Amino acid sequence: MSPFEYVAVLVSIILGLGITQIITGLADALHQKNVRFYWPHVLWVLLVFILHVHEWWIFYEMRTNTSWQLGQFLFTLLYPINLFVLARLLFPINWAEGYNLKAFYLQHFRKLYWGFISLAALSIVTNLAILGDPLLEQVNKLFILVLLL
């Protein structure tokens, strides 16, 4: 087993748990009666799901890294962990009949925005420090970070 494969196992588990949270939340919402969906909440759910799949796909770019240090590995785990936390924040823990996802979204949207701000910052730092991408290639991520702030 290569060092990348060893690291990829834990990253994949964390991303899989996040996707499980999203799918379980959707299934719970569909299982309840009279749940009122809210379109911005649905967009957040789709975005977080896409980011989970995107992170899994993009992580493959790190396969050329033959030497993994503990600090680099732990820092690499921050992005998938942050995605998992965002996935967990998307749905209520206790569902009730006639649950209003608009009210839930309005109570929790600040946490979601801070999560996305940290994702953008982590992405920039990871691309600069670990992947070695130049700062000029980070303009779109910097724009997103500034926009969210």
Side-chain angles (χ1 to χ4, degrees):
M1 181 181 278
S2 72
F4 170 76
E5 291 169 339
Y6 188 75
V7 169
V9 168
L10 186 55
V11 170
S12 297
I13 289 171
I14 295 169
L15 291 172
L17 288 171
I19 290 171
T20 301
Q21 288 292 322
I22 295 168
I23 294 170
T24 302
L26 285 173
D28 288 345
L30 295 173
H31 183 66
Q32 300 295 324
K33 293 181 182 175
N34 301 324
V35 172
R36 288 183 276 161
F37 289 93
Y38 185 51
W39 70 269
H41 180 262
V42 172
L43 289 178
W44 277 96
V45 171
L46 289 172
L47 181 60
V48 172
F49 177 78
I50 290 168
L51 286 174
H52 272 81
V53 174
H54 182 261
E55 175 62 14
W56 176 76
W57 189 261
I58 292 297
F59 186 73
Y60 189 68
E61 288 182 14
M62 294 185 184
R63 72 189 177 283
T64 58
N65 190 353
T66 57
S67 173
W68 284 85
Q69 303 296 323
L70 181 61
Q72 179 187 16
F73 172 62
L74 292 174
F75 186 78
T76 303
L77 285 179
L78 288 177
Y79 195 90
I81 289 170
N82 196 348
L83 279 174
F84 171 81
V85 170
L86 280 173
R88 186 65 193 101
L89 289 173
L90 285 173
F91 295 98
I93 295 171
N94 299 318
W95 288 87
E97 292 293 326
Y99 203 86
N100 186 350
L101 287 176
K102 180 178 181 178
F104 178 81
Y105 172 79
L106 293 175
Q107 286 178 324
H108 295 90
F109 77 93
R110 286 181 184 85
K111 295 175 189 174
L112 293 173
Y113 275 98
W114 281 111
F116 266 84
I117 289 168
S118 65
L119 280 178
L122 282 170
S123 179
I124 292 167
V125 173
T126 300
N127 289 344
L128 291 173
I130 295 175
L131 295 178
D133 293 343
L135 187 60
L136 289 177
E137 290 183 13
Q138 310 302 317
V139 173
N140 57 347
K141 292 177 182 81
L142 288 168
F143 176 74
I144 291 170
L145 182 62
V146 170
L147 183 68
L148 287 171
L149 286 172

